[in-house]
Amino acid sequence: MKIIIIGLGNFGRSLALNLTDNGHEVFGIDYKMEKVDLLKDHIANVVCMDANNEAAYKALPIQQANLGIVAIGENEGASIVTTAILKRYKNLRIVSRSLSKIHDTILEAMGINDVVHPEQDAAFRLTKQISFNYALDYFRIDNKHSIAEVFSPLYFNGKSVKSLELTQKYSVSLITIIRNFKKNSNCSNSSNIQFTRKVIGLVTGDTILQEGDILTLFGSNKSIMNFVKDKKNK
């Protein structure tokens, strides 16, 4: 996918690097040369330009791009103007960063459906990690439901998924398992054996839990918290 990211502060820079690592062709844009310099050796293309200057967009392959991300985090007015310019390109799906409730309202009035709040989301993630007793990771589905990654309790080892009755006992569903696998190595020294974590795919009732497994669970926030509390107390 060809993606244009406008605004290369902490959020935009992190996004550009991660999307590049995932195989996307990223064009980064910022009006500050020092931010451009930080990325010039790491992503496909990076340009120093004023994103509020509509004429400057002629130098970009914007007609061939699939996605435009407005990641500006310092100037609400500049972000709104940039979003308005991108709206002229009908081929683009637009994701815009919002900086306030008023910004939300303006973006909604402009017809922008994909709005992100990185600071709020980061705070929410930390809150849930604390609430889930430091679950490894989680993804919010809505205000009441999440997908969380938690270590499998020791007393699950050697048991089948169906015998655990996760839905009946905890009101959570097991989506998949992240498991340790030995890396291929010619080293015969057992103390130097290396492992890598991999998703095992879809689980069945007959899947057997192993030591060190990470469970990917779906459920209400309350159900996940109850599961974590219960496994800590056993």
Side-chain angles (χ1 to χ4, degrees):
M1 185 181 293
K2 190 169 288 188
I3 302 170
I4 293 175
I5 299 177
I6 301 173
L8 299 176
N10 292 333
F11 173 62
R13 182 167 62 251
S14 177
L15 202 56
L17 291 170
N18 282 308
L19 287 169
T20 297
D21 287 344
N22 279 273
H24 299 286
E25 184 179 3
V26 175
F27 288 76
I29 297 168
D30 201 283
Y31 75 99
K32 291 184 177 180
M33 195 65 209
E34 59 266 29
K35 293 183 179 180
V36 169
D37 287 339
L38 285 173
L39 281 177
K40 64 183 181 181
D41 296 325
H42 302 285
I43 66 174
N45 298 277
V46 62
V47 178
C48 185
M49 66 172 249
D50 178 5
N52 283 180
N53 178 3
E54 189 171 1
Y57 286 79
K58 294 178 181 178
L60 301 176
I62 198 163
Q63 297 289 359
Q64 292 77 45
N66 310 100
L67 177 64
I69 301 175
V70 182
I72 296 170
E74 299 174 352
N75 188 323
E76 195 167 300
S79 175
I80 292 167
V81 171
T82 298
T83 303
I85 292 173
L86 292 184
K87 279 283 289 181
R88 295 175 180 266
Y89 297 91
K90 304 301 181 184
N91 56 298
L92 274 184
R93 174 190 164 200
I94 300 172
V95 175
S96 191
R97 176 183 187 177
S98 175
L99 305 176
S100 68
K101 291 289 186 183
I102 293 175
H103 199 169
D104 282 345
T105 302
I106 294 171
L107 291 173
E108 182 180 351
M110 293 170 69
I112 304 300
N113 297 317
D114 296 312
V115 179
V116 294
H117 309 84
E119 291 84 2
Q120 291 179 31
D121 290 345
F124 186 90
R125 287 177 67 85
L126 181 57
T127 299
K128 288 304 177 186
Q129 285 179 339
I130 293 170
S131 298
F132 291 167
N133 289 307
Y134 296 95
L136 294 173
D137 202 0
Y138 90 100
F139 175 77
R140 178 176 61 172
I141 302 298
D142 58 25
N143 289 333
K144 294 184 178 180
H145 299 84
S146 298
I147 294 173
E149 292 180 356
V150 298
F151 276 117
S152 177
L154 290 176
Y155 60 91
F156 279 13
N157 294 351
K159 296 181 180 179
S160 67
V161 170
K162 63 184 175 186
S163 72
L164 297 173
E165 298 183 325
L166 295 174
T167 302
Q168 296 91 326
K169 291 182 179 179
Y170 303 101
S171 298
V172 296
S173 298
L174 179 60
I175 299 173
T176 191
I177 296 169
I178 302 171
R179 177 167 290 170
N180 285 325
F181 290 90
K182 290 181 182 178
K183 286 185 177 181
N184 291 328
S185 173
N186 295 323
C187 180
S188 58
N189 189 341
S190 59
S191 64
N192 292 326
I193 294 175
Q194 294 183 324
F195 293 87
T196 183
R197 291 192 185 278
K198 293 182 181 179
V199 175
I200 71 168
L202 294 175
V203 297
T204 69
D206 295 324
T207 300
I208 303 298
L209 276 293
Q210 298 180 11
E211 183 177 355
D213 280 350
I214 295 173
L215 310 181
T216 304
L217 303 172
F218 167 78
S220 68
N221 295 334
K222 182 178 180 180
S223 295
I224 294 172
M225 283 190 281
N226 286 339
F227 173 83
V228 174
K229 287 177 183 176
D230 184 77
K231 80 182 186 69
K232 282 191 70 177
N233 292 330
K234 291 187 177 180

